[in-house]
Amino acid sequence: MVEIFDGALDAVALVAKWQGEVRGCGALCFFVGVVRDDDGVSGLSFDIYEPLLQAWFKQWEKQLASTELNLESGEQVGKCVANDNAAGDSGTAGESSGFVAGTAGTAGVVLKMAHARGDVAVGAVSFVAFVASKKRRAALEVLDVFVEDFKANAPIWKYDLYGERRVWAQKRSFLLKGAGVLGSGGEFK
């Protein structure tokens, strides 16, 4: 599930909500991304093209379902499921329930994420990733690989805020494959 919110995220509320949406899990892992004070910025601003982000996340669902994601442990994780009654749209762009894979490899892993759209001040939360699994090793490994892939490949465009001025955060951005000028190494002017 991908949830998009305007402005900063409430990480505690998201994790609590997502925890209530899964059952049979022995491990709940999460990552919280906080806007840092780099280069004197007052915050960051994020543009998200939701169809591209949903497509990127669906590729993750597909990898987990087919166990194409190679984890170091190769652990069988058992089954962990999203509660049927947990569905409900909280004003988000995402789907209403968490992803549940099959029964082996990364199967049974529940993966959810939320990201801010628009302006987020220094010290506030812009990204939360959540992984639930029957066993801890699979949850920890999926979370690590997911966050690294998110940083490198998620179609979210980042801008530095200097007061009211919004400037593309070129030093903190990655090129996106197939994304025109931003994916070719060309200059954005």
Side-chain angles (χ1 to χ4, degrees):
M1 170 176 53
V2 176
E3 297 188 55
I4 307 298
F5 294 89
D6 291 321
L9 306 178
D10 182 343
V12 173
L14 282 167
V15 171
K17 178 182 88 157
W18 292 339
Q19 180 181 1
E21 292 176 356
V22 295
R23 66 179 187 275
C25 298
L28 304 174
C29 297
F30 58 91
F31 171 84
V32 176
V34 177
V35 175
R36 297 183 311 268
D37 181 10
D38 286 349
D39 301 325
V41 299
S42 58
L44 294 176
S45 187
F46 301 94
D47 285 347
I48 300 172
Y49 183 60
E50 293 174 27
L52 277 179
L53 183 60
Q54 292 291 347
W56 173 82
F57 193 80
K58 285 190 185 307
Q59 288 301 310
W60 265 91
E61 292 177 335
K62 201 169 151 189
Q63 285 181 42
L64 290 171
S66 67
T67 66
E68 290 173 17
L69 184 64
N70 293 320
L71 299 180
E72 287 181 25
S73 67
E75 181 171 276
Q76 301 292 311
V77 298
K79 190 158 185 178
C80 178
V81 298
N83 290 332
D84 293 336
N85 62 355
D89 194 343
S90 56
T92 67
E95 297 171 9
S96 61
S97 64
F99 166 68
V100 181
T103 57
T106 54
V109 172
V110 175
L111 176 63
K112 299 176 184 229
M113 68 162 278
H115 204 283
R117 173 178 44 216
D119 298 352
V120 180
V122 166
V125 175
S126 61
F127 172 58
V128 180
F130 176 90
V131 177
S133 175
K134 189 91 169 169
K135 307 254 182 150
R136 71 176 160 73
R137 179 57 39 214
L140 289 167
E141 289 182 35
V142 168
L143 182 65
D144 180 51
V145 174
F146 176 77
V147 170
E148 292 303 318
D149 187 60
F150 171 84
K151 182 71 174 168
N153 297 308
I156 297 176
W157 291 267
K158 187 186 313 183
Y159 300 85
D160 292 331
L161 295 175
Y162 298 97
E164 297 294 314
R165 208 175 75 187
R166 187 176 191 245
V167 179
W168 179 45
Q170 185 172 2
K171 290 191 314 187
R172 286 186 285 287
S173 296
F174 293 90
L175 300 177
L176 300 177
K177 296 174 197 152
V181 70
L182 296 177
S184 67
E187 291 293 316
F188 181 73
K189 302 195 186 232

